[in-house]
Amino acid sequence: MRNRSHIPLATYRLQLNRDFTFTQATEVVPYLSALGISHCYISPCLKARPGSMHGYDIVDHNSFNPEIGSTEDFDRFVSALHDHGMGLILDIVPNHMGVMGSDNAWWLDVLENGESSIYASFFDIDWQPLKDELHGKVLVPVLHDHYGTVLESGELKLNFHPARGEFDITYREHRFPLDPKEYPRVLEHCETKATEMLGEQNPELLEFQSLVTAFRHLPGKRELGSDRVAERSRDKEINKHRLAELCARSPEITACILRAVDSINGNPSDSASFEELHELIKAQAFRLANWRVASDDINYRRFFDTNDLAGINMESEKVFDATHRFVLSLMTEDKVDGLRIDHPDGLYDPAQYFERLNRNIAIVANNAESLPGNGSHYVIIEKILSGSERLRAEWPVNGTTGYDFANLVNGLFVDPAAVMRLERIYRNFIGEEIDFENLAYRSRKLIIQVALASELSVLANCLTRIALSRRQTCDFTLNSSREALTEVVASFPVYRTYVSSAGVSEEDARYIGLAIAWAKWRSPAADNSIFDFISDVLLTRIAEGQDSAYRNDVTNFVMRFQQFTSPVMAKGVEDTAFYRYNRLISLNDVGGDLHRFGVTTAEFHSANQERVRAWPHTMLATSTHDSKRSEDVRARINVLSEISALWRLRVRDWRRLNRNHKRLVNDRPAPSPNDEYLLYQTLLGAWPSDRLCDKCDKNGWATFAERMGAYMLKAVREAKRNTSWVNRNAEYEDAVSSFVKALLDPAAENRFLDDFVPFQRRVARIGLWNSLSQTLLKLTCPGVPDIYQGNELLDFSLVDPDNRRPVDYIRRQRMFDRVRSLIDGSDASSISRLLETPEDGLIKLYLIGRTLCLRRQDAKLFQQGEYLPLTVAGAKAEHVVAFARRFKTKSLLVVVPRLVASLLEDRDLPPIGAQIWEDTRVLLPFSASECQNVLTGKTMETEKADGHARIDVSIALAEFPVALCVLS
């Protein structure tokens, strides 16, 4: 057993669900250990909604998801990890919980008891919304049709549960507990009949009458005094228990209640018969509504625009304790070494949360001085950084989940010189010019107005109250506040700021200033002074010198505003604009900056140097469960930036060949040119590595066509132009599906496939060299490399659910067994065989296994070593990235090629040897007599010239397309 460190050397992400449980995860531990993984990094494993395939819809923070496994199963998994010297990182979800259905006890208690629920403060609910009818209620938008229609169809059912003494309303899989104080509305129906059946002095009848009185005298659901809340919480359960006992003793009472329930439920043939049920529902702490009502009227904070994920008030220490008790106990028991924090930008005060979490982890570690990064526990956050934004240095975390690195390293393989050429090709194909900045602005505005209008209304109402409280601002109306806020949020340059009662940072002030300036410029209003007012509020200047109530109102507004900008950015840019702007889709990924086309080697080195100084243990990702496309798909599509002239000819011909497969929808050919352009790039990137060359392989073709069809439907719905998730255009969607099937029909004479496949093979081969380069960079740059499940081989998955398909670990284990001897000791002939069929993925698996083996041997070199950018000289210098890692007397050299399409021209060869690299050489700023390439086993002598040691790239890359050399 190896000693394990809380700071990982390399992580491996596993997606747990009912089909891949703790038991299956335990079975792959030996394989992952042999591969060189130090920590398993698992998706949320706490109890989630039944059937959840991702785990982010947690309903109980204090137990494991039974579909994933029991406590004993988890313990066996942890024991297996520890037996192999490995650790565990948990993905936790502090921002929201899964609601609706019938399984979240806290939420059900809120529906039952409203504001007087002991869990009312756990959820971020506005109990005093703009609509009077919702005061003291929670809007529950789950109905498939209008409320009245659903009610009179008989789909809303009143139920009585004799064993529990409870009433509820059910609708499909949803359960809505009735307010116990309203039980008499039902029970009073029974009194006359029960008297007839039992007699006036019957003890059971008297108990029944006593219960009716007891329920009626419960404290009301809007009585908020702590004593009254406690009394209600206690007595309602006592009364239910009494009713259950009475029903167990008296079949007559039970029968009377069930007859009353049946009478109240009404008859679909008589709409008037539902009046009593309607009045009963109106008296509850919830308002049932059609799902479309949510965008305008919902009064609880959601995760983005997902109605069944309700925001929780993590700023409350009581909520923090209740939701973290179990996870912290696992850390106390040394079963968990680190945490991944999901969506911290949704929190009211992320900094406060990180500090509170850190304090509790320190207590767990029994070390008050323990801080992340100092060896206690590992904490990373899902923070998406925009453009030049930097992670806040004062946060007590180890770094991000790696989207920033994924975009950085991906950009190395995009040719910046091609930006105008690809822009022109795209513009000519779709027949319009798209300005991305304007598109992103319009997409954010669309989300505000359509999906998150209710959240905007809450903000506008709060802002108006602030304005009305001072004579200098009282003329700003609700409508003007709403319109101005829309412009500011739609112009916001980052996901959010982090202003709090502690103050405003220079960085936040700059982002707010940019948003205000853009909003003013875009606003058609004659009077722009409201933007100055909003600026003063967001910067909290307006609260200076004011009373505490006013200051609190301003601070609360700013904190709420910051929670709003994040989902607008995510839904507006990632989930709308990125599906509308298809110039080069490999750049359209989480955290991607489309103002930046490609990354230079100097920019790459600079980012790595900054990371080693500021965040040496941040995670380095290339694929995640949220990626729009896998690392290997992006690596292929990037190639188009190098062969733009050929790309232009191919898409021109494909459009001509496929035009007869389109249909007319609303007098326009479908799919649209923009969606067609997206499809061609997607096919190039996702085409299976076995090439589907056998046209008799009907299953292979059908599976691939089904995947591409499903992806395109998701893409066109996300784009929200010709169809959407909310308003589906079945005719357009059918046209898209038909088009995909026609393009991928191997049975008929298919001139498109005849032309496409050879081009795709060339792109795929060049993309493979990109994949190997970015893989070695991820494994050797400063930070903690993460491998998303299955991506140790070539993987051509698209956005979820495509990237959450089952992983064949038996196949991976067998393939790893084939390369294991090479990892232990390389030889030239075996390396050569890897290059003969690189598409089988063995070469990537070998590269990962060999590099992780070195990371394990020289952990300090990778975790604490310097990062030294190296100068590359010679004819092909622009096509090489080289750097050294150095710790004390140990040094390591990394050399990878980039932008190799022009080097290879039409040759189907790897980028190795003197014919490719000519006089290109890497200059070392320190002395080194020789170096050993750990990937090939070859030892090379360095040369000295002009006071530098140097290594010829043709020698470093003589036999393998990337180099990892130990210097001595």
Side-chain angles (χ1 to χ4, degrees):
M1 182 191 299
R2 293 184 300 272
N3 292 328
R4 76 183 198 277
S5 166
H6 289 298
I7 301 298
L9 269 170
T11 62
Y12 190 97
R13 172 75 177 202
L14 292 173
Q15 294 293 121
L16 303 182
N17 51 61
R18 65 191 178 196
D19 299 323
F20 191 85
T21 66
F22 289 139
T23 299
Q24 279 82 35
T26 303
E27 292 169 355
V28 303
V29 166
Y31 160 67
L32 297 179
S33 175
L35 185 61
I37 301 301
S38 70
H39 287 67
C40 272
Y41 159 42
I42 62 173
S43 61
C45 61
L46 303 185
K47 186 176 180 182
R49 300 290 301 280
S52 174
M53 298 303 288
H54 51 76
Y56 289 98
D57 46 358
I58 292 170
V59 297
D60 182 358
H61 285 88
N62 293 296
S63 64
F64 289 116
N65 187 343
E67 294 184 353
I68 293 174
S70 64
T71 299
E72 293 74 22
D73 295 328
F74 176 78
D75 288 345
R76 281 190 287 271
F77 174 46
V78 171
S79 294
L81 291 171
H82 290 181
D83 287 345
H84 289 81
M86 297 171 65
L88 179 63
I89 299 170
L90 289 188
D91 192 343
I92 65 172
V93 189
N95 176 68
H96 55 268
M97 292 185 75
V99 295
M100 310 307 176
S102 59
D103 33 47
N104 187 324
W106 295 352
W107 180 255
L108 293 174
D109 195 273
V110 171
L111 297 183
E112 181 184 61
N113 301 291
E115 289 177 272
S116 69
S117 166
I118 59 175
Y119 299 109
S121 64
F122 279 44
F123 296 95
D124 197 350
I125 299 169
D126 179 9
W127 295 102
Q128 300 294 323
L130 292 176
K131 276 194 172 182
D132 290 343
E133 67 154 324
L134 284 176
H135 285 191
K137 292 178 180 284
V138 181
L139 183 79
V140 184
V142 296
L143 306 181
H144 74 283
D145 205 338
H146 293 288
Y147 164 77
T149 303
V150 175
L151 175 73
E152 293 173 13
S153 70
E155 291 183 82
L156 295 176
K157 290 285 187 184
L158 173 64
N159 307 277
F160 176 59
H161 306 278
R164 303 199 306 266
E166 289 183 343
F167 292 93
D168 59 31
I169 301 290
T170 55
Y171 168 74
R172 298 184 176 178
E173 74 274 21
H174 305 288
R175 174 174 172 259
F176 311 105
L178 257 58
D179 175 2
K181 191 175 176 64
E182 299 297 331
Y183 282 13
R185 287 177 181 260
V186 182
L187 298 177
E188 285 172 345
H189 276 262
C190 310
E191 192 162 354
T192 301
K193 186 66 176 177
T195 302
E196 292 176 2
M197 296 174 66
L198 298 172
E200 291 185 359
Q201 298 305 311
N202 184 283
E204 291 170 353
L205 177 64
L206 296 176
E207 170 68 356
F208 177 79
Q209 292 169 335
S210 173
L211 273 170
V212 173
T213 302
F215 279 120
R216 185 178 290 117
H217 284 88
L218 284 172
K221 58 181 174 289
R222 302 199 68 182
E223 295 186 49
L224 306 184
S226 58
D227 291 345
R228 297 291 279 170
V229 168
E231 179 186 342
R232 176 185 170 99
S233 179
R234 179 193 65 228
D235 289 356
K236 71 180 177 66
E237 294 304 318
I238 292 173
N239 293 342
K240 287 182 194 176
H241 184 68
R242 286 174 59 195
L243 180 58
E245 288 184 333
L246 176 61
C247 289
R249 295 195 307 270
S250 174
E252 295 85 357
I253 294 292
T254 303
C256 285
I257 295 174
L258 292 175
R259 275 195 295 270
V261 166
D262 187 56
S263 172
I264 292 171
N265 270 325
N267 185 338
S269 64
D270 178 11
S271 62
S273 67
F274 290 97
E275 188 62 27
E276 192 168 3
L277 179 59
H278 169 60
E279 291 300 322
L280 179 64
I281 293 173
K282 278 178 61 179
Q284 304 309 309
F286 51 82
R287 148 80 157 103
L288 301 180
N290 176 248
W291 64 272
R292 293 179 184 272
V293 172
S295 62
D296 288 327
D297 289 348
I298 203 161
N299 62 328
Y300 60 88
R301 181 172 60 86
R302 300 168 289 174
F303 173 70
F304 297 170
D305 57 349
T306 307
N307 295 339
D308 56 4
L309 295 176
I312 53 179
N313 290 321
M314 195 52 65
E315 63 273 18
S316 162
E317 192 158 8
K318 181 169 68 173
V319 176
F320 178 93
D321 292 341
T323 54
H324 288 70
R325 184 181 304 114
F326 182 59
V327 167
L328 288 169
S329 74
L330 297 176
M331 301 179 88
T332 301
E333 295 165 4
D334 200 31
K335 295 176 181 178
V336 171
D337 301 274
L339 301 174
R340 182 248 195 205
I341 312 302
D342 181 67
H343 191 50
D345 274 351
L347 301 176
Y348 186 80
D349 190 346
Q352 177 212 55
Y353 172 78
F354 301 143
E355 290 159 5
R356 180 175 287 155
L357 178 65
N358 186 55
R359 286 196 303 273
N360 280 270
I361 290 175
I363 294 169
V364 162
N366 196 26
N367 178 3
E369 299 301 316
S370 179
L371 294 171
N374 291 342
S376 61
H377 288 82
Y378 185 64
V379 177
I380 50 169
I381 62 174
E382 189 203 21
K383 169 59 190 168
I384 301 168
L385 300 168
S386 303
S388 60
E389 185 183 9
R390 297 291 183 266
L391 191 63
R392 302 301 167 102
E394 65 272 18
W395 288 348
V397 299
N398 290 98
T400 73
T401 52
Y403 298 128
D404 43 338
F405 180 81
N407 286 293
L408 177 76
V409 73
N410 182 69
L412 266 181
F413 304 96
V414 173
D415 185 0
V419 58
M420 296 309 298
R421 293 194 297 273
L422 281 179
E423 187 73 51
R424 187 165 55 250
I425 294 167
Y426 178 46
R427 181 176 65 243
N428 290 340
F429 190 94
I430 66 173
E432 62 176 311
E433 185 167 355
I434 300 178
D435 175 75
F436 181 75
E437 183 59 45
N438 185 51
L439 171 63
Y441 159 74
R442 288 187 287 107
S443 298
R444 288 190 291 260
K445 200 167 184 177
L446 174 70
I447 294 300
I448 294 169
Q449 295 171 337
V450 174
L452 300 174
S454 179
E455 287 84 349
L456 176 68
S457 295
V458 171
L459 281 177
N461 197 36
C462 292
L463 184 64
T464 302
R465 284 199 292 264
I466 293 171
L468 289 172
S469 64
R470 295 184 67 190
R471 61 179 179 271
Q472 296 91 342
T473 56
C474 62
D475 283 347
F476 295 131
T477 65
L478 177 61
N479 281 341
S480 64
S481 295
R482 185 182 180 90
E483 290 169 5
L485 282 172
T486 298
E487 291 297 334
V488 172
V489 175
S491 300
F492 225 71
V494 291
Y495 277 72
R496 65 166 287 169
T497 50
Y498 301 92
V499 176
S500 71
S501 57
V504 184
S505 69
E506 290 184 10
E507 190 174 2
D508 287 335
R510 184 170 70 254
Y511 294 139
I512 291 168
L514 285 171
I516 295 294
W518 275 106
K520 277 185 176 182
W521 183 77
R522 288 176 170 134
S523 174
D527 179 11
N528 277 343
S529 61
I530 192 169
F531 293 106
D532 297 321
F533 164 61
I534 293 175
S535 176
D536 287 342
V537 171
L538 293 178
L539 295 170
T540 68
R541 288 192 299 237
I542 200 167
E544 293 173 4
Q546 302 300 314
D547 60 58
S548 61
Y550 187 84
R551 290 198 306 270
N552 289 339
D553 285 347
V554 169
T555 300
N556 184 61
F557 170 81
V558 175
M559 306 291 264
R560 297 290 181 188
F561 174 89
Q562 293 174 145
Q563 287 179 290
F564 182 61
T565 58
S566 178
V568 170
M569 177 72 85
K571 297 300 294 181
V573 177
E574 288 177 31
D575 291 344
T576 304
F578 277 6
Y579 287 95
R580 292 184 174 189
Y581 187 71
N582 299 316
R583 177 187 60 186
L584 185 67
I585 60 173
S586 53
L587 298 176
N588 298 14
D589 221 304
V590 180
D593 180 7
L594 297 198
H595 302 98
R596 183 182 192 181
F597 193 89
V599 172
T600 66
T601 54
E603 290 169 333
F604 183 73
H605 287 317
S606 176
N608 286 328
Q609 288 176 304
E610 181 180 345
R611 189 183 320 110
V612 80
R613 288 191 302 267
W615 302 101
H617 304 307
T618 191
M619 187 169 277
L620 308 180
T622 43
S623 291
T624 76
H625 64 285
D626 279 332
S627 294
K628 305 296 185 190
R629 297 160 191 88
S630 76
E631 58 201 57
D632 298 315
V633 171
R634 296 196 306 273
R636 286 175 167 182
I637 296 171
N638 288 338
V639 175
L640 299 180
S641 70
E642 300 184 70
I643 55 172
S644 56
L646 186 57
W647 169 242
R648 179 180 64 84
L649 296 175
R650 297 278 54 76
V651 291
R652 183 195 64 185
D653 289 349
W654 297 340
R655 177 169 57 184
R656 177 178 52 81
L657 291 171
N658 294 323
R659 61 189 174 193
N660 290 335
H661 298 312
K662 293 193 174 189
R663 300 177 182 176
L664 283 180
V665 177
N666 297 328
D667 296 324
R668 293 184 178 182
S672 69
N674 200 23
D675 292 336
E676 184 182 3
Y677 200 75
L678 167 67
L679 175 60
Y680 293 144
Q681 292 180 73
T682 302
L683 292 176
L684 283 173
W687 199 263
S689 55
D690 61 12
R691 301 176 179 174
L692 294 175
C693 54
D694 184 359
K695 292 195 174 185
C696 296
D697 180 15
K698 293 183 179 179
N699 289 335
W701 282 95
T703 298
F704 183 65
E706 183 179 349
R707 285 180 54 215
M708 294 305 98
Y711 168 78
M712 285 302 297
L713 285 183
K714 176 166 183 169
V716 297
R717 288 170 184 167
E718 294 284 17
K720 306 172 189 68
R721 269 190 167 163
N722 300 296
T723 185
S724 69
W725 296 105
V726 176
N727 293 304
R728 295 187 184 179
N729 183 334
E731 192 177 0
Y732 186 84
E733 292 186 2
D734 287 346
V736 171
S737 297
S738 173
F739 189 74
V740 172
K741 289 177 183 176
L743 266 59
L744 298 178
D745 182 2
E749 180 182 345
N750 194 325
R751 294 173 61 196
F752 164 70
L753 286 180
D754 292 340
D755 189 81
F756 173 84
V757 170
F759 179 72
Q760 194 282 331
R761 288 177 180 175
R762 180 181 177 190
V763 169
R765 179 58 67 94
I766 299 169
L768 193 151
W769 312 132
N770 287 348
S771 291
L772 296 180
S773 290
Q774 75 174 352
T775 297
L776 184 58
L777 292 174
K778 176 176 71 173
L779 299 178
T780 55
C781 282
V784 176
D786 174 60
I787 298 171
Y788 181 68
Q789 61 175 27
N791 279 250
E792 64 270 34
L793 292 181
L794 295 172
D795 181 88
F796 304 107
S797 296
L798 301 171
V799 72
D800 72 280
D802 194 60
N803 64 1
R804 301 181 189 183
R805 290 171 294 149
V807 176
D808 187 348
Y809 283 107
I810 295 175
R811 172 172 173 256
R812 281 161 175 75
Q813 178 68 66
R814 288 172 179 165
M815 294 181 71
F816 185 70
D817 289 342
R818 290 170 59 187
V819 302
R820 200 164 187 175
S821 60
L822 289 180
I823 292 172
D824 296 333
S826 308
D827 66 83
S829 61
S830 299
I831 296 299
S832 177
R833 285 196 296 274
L834 290 177
L835 287 170
E836 288 174 4
T837 56
E839 289 86 1
D840 61 15
L842 276 173
I843 192 169
K844 184 179 181 183
L845 185 61
Y846 165 71
L847 174 62
I848 291 172
R850 187 66 192 89
T851 307
L852 291 184
C853 179
L854 183 64
R855 282 187 73 93
R856 181 178 286 166
Q857 292 169 1
D858 289 311
K860 289 185 177 179
L861 175 63
F862 290 96
Q863 290 188 325
Q864 301 177 36
E866 299 175 78
Y867 178 91
L868 303 173
L870 300 180
T871 300
V872 183
K876 311 299 183 183
E878 293 184 358
H879 298 272
V880 176
V881 179
F883 59 86
R885 301 297 308 276
R886 185 167 65 181
F887 180 74
K888 295 183 177 178
T889 61
K890 292 186 176 182
S891 297
L892 185 74
L893 170 66
V894 176
V895 181
V896 303
R898 63 187 286 262
L899 306 179
V900 299
S902 60
L903 302 181
L904 300 176
E905 297 175 342
D906 292 328
R907 293 170 292 187
D908 190 9
L909 298 170
I912 59 176
Q915 186 179 6
I916 298 292
W917 296 109
E918 301 177 4
D919 66 340
T920 310
R921 56 205 178 276
V922 177
L923 307 182
L924 304 178
F926 47 82
S927 61
S929 58
E930 63 179 25
C931 68
Q932 182 182 33
N933 190 332
V934 299
L935 299 175
T936 64
K938 288 293 183 68
T939 299
M940 302 167 285
E941 292 186 359
T942 62
E943 299 179 4
K944 287 189 177 181
D946 302 324
H948 291 283
R950 76 179 197 186
I951 297 176
D952 288 345
V953 174
S954 61
I955 296 175
L957 303 182
E959 298 164 321
F960 201 77
V962 295
L964 177 63
C965 305
V966 175
L967 299 170
S968 61

